[in-house]
Structures are given as structure tokens and as C-alpha cells.
Amino acid sequence: MSQNLSPKVRAGLSFRAITIGLFLAFMILPVVATALFSVSIRWDRSILPEGLTFDWWIKVTSERGFQRSLTNSLTISLSTVLASLALIAPTAFWVHTRVPRAKPLMEVLVILPFGFPAVVLALGLVRLYSPLPIAVVNTPAMLVAAYVVITLPFMYRAIMNGLEAIDTAALSNAARSLGANDVQIFLKVILPNIRGGLVSGSLLVFSAAFAEFALANLLVGTRLKTFPIYLVEFTRFDARQASALALISFSAAWLVSMALLSSSARRPSTRGSSATA
């Protein structure tokens, strides 16, 4: 079949294959090199590793700090997801249904976190919460608040996309005609119909909070050692154990990405159910 293609078409296909191959090599080779380095006995005198061993993996995962930092990161990430859902989901619904003219303003506001360096955001939060009578500065609660801010675009856009995919006015009117109030409409009608957006936003927020280092280091530091902080500490004295930790972090992000893709693949059926409703 390829013999029937013109030279111009074959050249285009070859160029496309080379481009994709170079892109995959650019993305995959660093991961493969990190994985090989994490299981190598020695890799500084030749182009290939000198012997393979899982001792570095066993040593780094048996540390008490590994389990503690992993638990801290999971707790902070899940708390960030719950706080984002509780704050942003009703706000997005209110903007979408009651004040649609505020959508352009909200679009600008949700982009702002991308423009703030972590140092500026950390200093601003410290100055904002320092006068409060309760101790908030340098606590895990403050770190969760900071993560809610920087992950605002991911959660807001995912929820807004879900709201725009359904007929919120028809669903609300139908539920209201059956005696439901506004809270029941939001919790029992709207949220189930934007489940795909909620799941996608939650996974994005979780992965971003789990891998974040700068704010965690500036706001809580060693008082609550997260997994990225634990990883960076190992880079200072044992690169092979640090490589093993990096692979573990990459695997967690990869699993979250696969869950995100699976959620996106099931979204059409969710739309179908909403249309039926």
C-alpha cells in the first residue's frame, strides 16, 4: 500500500514519524536514565551502569521519614481537593446560573495564580494571616489555603466545563417544580450531572498539590515535611536514593494521569445521562 503513495506523501509521513520519535525520546529518555541510575551499583566510569541492584530502593523506602512524608503529602493533597470542591463548586454554579456576566471577570481571576511567583504568594499569605488571633501562619492549614489558590484554575475550569455541558436551567426548573430548594438542587441534581468535571478537577488539583515544593518549603518547611521536600533532601547526599524517590513521585503522577484519562473517557456517558435527566 505504501508503494502507491507519492514521494511527497512518503516524505511527509517520514518527517512526522521522525518528529514523533524525537519527541518521545526527549520525554522518555530522562525517565529511563533516572530509573537505571536508581538501580545501578555504579554509573560514573562508563556509558552504561556497572551492575544492577535494588538496595537503594529498599534503603530509601525503609526509612521512617519516607512513610511520614508520603502520608503528609497525601493528607495535604486530599485536604486541598476537599477545600477546593467546597469553595469553588458552589461559586462556579452561582456564577454560571445567577451572574453569567461575571464570567469574563472570573476567567481573569482564575488565571492570576499563574502570574504569581511562589515567593510572592507565600509572603502575601503570611502578611494576610499574621494579624489573625488564631495561629494560622506556618501551619498545614495555611499550606492547604495556598494550594487552593494556585490550583484554582484547574478546579474552576473543570467544573465550569461540566456546567456548560448540561442544561442547568432546565434541570433546576424541573427539580424546583418537584419541591426541591436551591441547596437540594445543587447537591442532588447539579453535582451528579457534573461528576466528570468534579473528578477531573480533583485529580488535577491532587497531582499539582502532591508534587509542589516551593510553597511547602517556604510556608511550613521541616515542620511538616512533604514528599517533594524529602526528595530534595536526598539529592544533597545520595543521588541514587533521590532517583528512586523521583521515580516513585513520577509513578504517582502517572497513575493520577491514567485516572484522569479514564475519567475523560467515561464523560460522554455522563453527558448522556444528564441529557436524559
Side-chain angles (χ1 to χ4, degrees), residues 56-188:
W56 315 119
W57 282 75
I58 297 172
K59 188 175 181 179
V60 74
T61 54
S62 61
E63 296 280 348
R64 181 181 297 178
F66 170 79
Q67 297 179 358
R68 190 187 308 125
S69 62
L70 188 60
T71 302
N72 289 339
S73 283
L74 291 173
T75 303
I76 292 294
S77 301
L78 289 175
S79 300
T80 304
V81 170
L82 294 177
S84 296
L85 287 173
L87 179 65
I88 300 173
T91 302
F93 175 66
W94 181 73
V95 170
H96 181 71
T97 57
R98 303 297 176 84
V99 284
R101 291 183 179 179
K103 283 186 177 181
L105 176 62
M106 288 298 297
E107 295 292 341
V108 175
L109 290 177
V110 297
I111 294 175
L112 287 181
F114 288 132
F116 286 110
V119 176
V120 175
L121 181 59
L123 291 176
L125 289 172
V126 170
R127 290 185 60 85
L128 177 64
Y129 290 114
S130 293
L132 294 179
I134 58 175
V136 178
V137 177
N138 298 331
T139 64
M142 189 171 180
L143 183 59
V144 171
Y147 283 171
V148 170
V149 174
I150 65 170
T151 59
L152 172 63
F154 306 130
M155 182 63 79
Y156 178 81
R157 281 311 319 164
I159 293 177
M160 190 56 74
N161 289 340
L163 289 171
E164 291 174 350
I166 63 176
D167 191 345
T168 55
L171 291 172
S172 299
N173 291 333
R176 193 172 289 110
S177 67
L178 296 174
N181 56 36
D182 291 341
V183 176
Q184 291 173 325
I185 292 172
F186 175 69
L187 295 178
K188 297 183 178 181

Side-chain angles (χ1 to χ4, degrees), residues 23-44:
F23 174 77
L24 292 177
F26 178 78
M27 297 296 293
I28 294 174
L29 280 180
V31 179
V32 174
T34 303
L36 283 176
F37 188 65
S38 69
V39 295
S40 64
I41 296 176
R42 185 164 184 173
W43 196 4
D44 57 351

